[in-house]
Amino acid sequence: MSESIELERRHFPIIRLRRLRKSKVIRDLTAEAKVTPSSLIMPIFVKDGLDGREPIDGMPGQERLSIRELLKEVSELLDLGIKAILLFGIPLRKDELGSSAYDRNGIVQRAVREVKKNFGEEVVVITDVCLCQYTSHGHCGIVIEKDMKKIIDNDSTIEVLAKIALSHAEAGADIVAPSDMMDGRVWAIRRSLDSAGYTDTAIMSYSVKYASSLYGPFRSAAYSKPAFGDRRSYQMDPRNLREALREVELDISEGTDIVMVKPASWYLDVISLIRNYFDIPIAAYSVSGEYTMIKLMAEKGLIDEKQAVWEQLHSIRRAGADTVITYHAKEYARWLRDGQLP
Ligand code: PBG
Ligand code: ZN
C-alpha cells in the first residue's frame, strides 16, 4: 500500500452509514419520519336506517356503521390512541339536489351530535362536506343543463356546500372537510360559518384532489358512483403537479386551515412540493384503492400487510404530510401497541 493512502487512512475516518442501522433501538432513535396514532385520522361510514354493522365488499375489514356502532367504534379508537375521525354519511334518500345533505336531522348531523355528547373534546370530529352520496345522479355538485349538455354548476353548488358545512358545525363538528373540488367553496363555507358565529370551526379542504382510479372501492362503499360521465371536469388531472400549487394557494387565500392531498401514495411528489412551498398543515388521504390493494395482496399471501402499511404510512409522512387519513388507522394502532411493526 502506498504511503499516501496509509496516511489518508489514519487521518480520515471511514464513513459507515451502517452504524446507525445495527439495532432497532438505534434505528428508532434516528428515524426521520414517525407515525404515531395521534397523527392518524380514521374514515368511517355511517349509514342511516342501519341496525348494527354491515361489511363493505370492496374494502375487506371495513364496515358501514349505525350511530350506535359508531359510538362503540370511537371508544375503541380512543383506547388505541386514534383521536380523529372523518365521517361519511349514507342517507336513506337521494334527490336531484342532494337536499338530505343539509338536513338538521340527517345521518351525519345526528352522528356528530351523538359522538360529541358522548366524547366531547376527547375526539376530533371531521365531516365530509359533499353532495355525491346525496344526489340521485351521484355527482359532487348541482347538475344543470347548458347548451344541451349536463354540467356541474360551480356557483350554485358552493352555496349548498356552505349550508351543509353550517349544519355540520351546528351539530358540533370540529372540522369540516369539503371534498367536491368546486372553486370558491372554502370562501363560501368560511363566510357562512363566520356569519353564524362558528368562527372556531376549522376547514380542512380537499385542495388537491385528483380524478383518480383509486376511489373505486369507496364509490361502491358509499353508493356514490356518478350515474353519467365522470368527475374529470372538476377533479384534477393526474398529469399535473404545478397546478396543485395554485389550488393550495387559492384555498389558503380563502381561509382553509389544513390542506389535503388525495390520493397519497401515488402523489408523494405533490405532498413534498406543497411542503416546500407552504407552511400550512398538510393532510394526506390514503384512499380506498390504496387500502384495498394492500388487503388483496395480503390475502393472497403476496405481501406482509403490517410491513406494507408501516412502509406506506412512513413514506407519506416522509414526503411531508403532517397527518394521514387511512382506513388502516385502527389496525396500525393495534399492531403498534402489540409490538408487531418493524
Ligand atoms: C367524494 C369522495 C370520494 C372520496 C372521498 N370523497 C370519491 C370521489 O371523489 O369519487 C374517495 C375516498 C376514498 O377512495 O377512500 N366527494
Ligand atoms: Zn363528492
Side-chain angles (χ1 to χ4, degrees), residues 141-304:
I142 304 294
V143 173
I144 60 165
E145 206 143 317
K146 199 173 175 184
D147 305 328
M148 314 277 281
K149 275 213 316 249
K150 286 183 174 180
I151 61 157
I152 318 300
D153 186 52
N154 194 88
D155 295 8
S156 55
T157 301
I158 65 177
E159 295 305 322
V160 182
L161 294 166
K163 265 163 83 168
I164 302 173
L166 181 57
S167 74
H168 292 177
E170 280 167 356
D174 298 289
I175 304 178
V176 292
S179 64
D180 51 284
M181 289 302 276
M182 299 300 132
D183 288 316
R185 91 276 209 209
V186 171
W187 169 81
I189 290 171
R190 189 69 269 161
R191 188 190 51 168
S192 127
L193 294 177
D194 288 353
S195 57
Y198 293 99
T199 49
D200 283 345
T201 307
I203 300 176
M204 172 169 83
S205 59
Y206 290 60
S207 308
V208 180
K209 180 177 180 180
Y210 285 92
S212 174
S213 58
L214 294 168
Y215 308 148
F218 174 97
R219 291 184 191 165
S220 50
Y223 314 105
S224 62
K225 196 172 180 301
F228 63 89
D230 54 44
R231 301 205 205 288
R232 269 178 269 198
S233 68
Y234 41 105
Q235 299 181 347
M236 277 180 62
D237 189 314
R239 295 172 292 189
N240 294 350
L241 173 63
R242 294 191 302 268
E243 189 187 1
L245 294 176
R246 302 190 68 211
E247 286 283 3
V248 169
E249 198 175 356
L250 276 174
D251 278 5
I252 292 176
S253 73
E254 292 176 25
T256 197
D257 300 283
I258 302 170
V259 297
M260 191 202 295
V261 177
K262 173 187 178 184
S265 301
W266 289 354
Y267 296 85
L268 296 178
D269 57 330
V270 181
I271 297 173
S272 152
L273 187 71
I274 295 170
R275 176 72 301 148
N276 287 327
Y277 268 80
F278 300 99
D279 286 335
I280 193 149
I282 301 173
Y285 197 152
S286 183
V287 301
S288 57
E290 295 173 61
Y291 170 84
T292 299
M293 263 195 267
I294 292 181
K295 281 284 176 195
L296 296 187
M297 276 199 280
E299 275 176 14
K300 285 205 174 293
L302 298 171
I303 202 171
D304 178 323

Side-chain angles (χ1 to χ4, degrees), residues 128-133 138-141 179-180 209 224 231 234-235:
D128 181 73
V129 173
C130 201
L131 280 169
C132 49
Q133 286 107 264
H139 276 289
C140 302
S179 64
D180 51 284
K209 180 177 180 180
S224 62
R231 301 205 205 288
Y234 41 105
Q235 299 181 347

Side-chain angles (χ1 to χ4, degrees), residues 11-25:
H11 292 278
F12 297 96
I14 296 171
I15 305 299
R16 273 188 183 273
L17 294 176
R18 290 182 47 192
R19 280 176 199 130
L20 296 181
R21 297 175 192 158
K22 72 180 174 196
S23 74
K24 174 166 162 58
V25 193

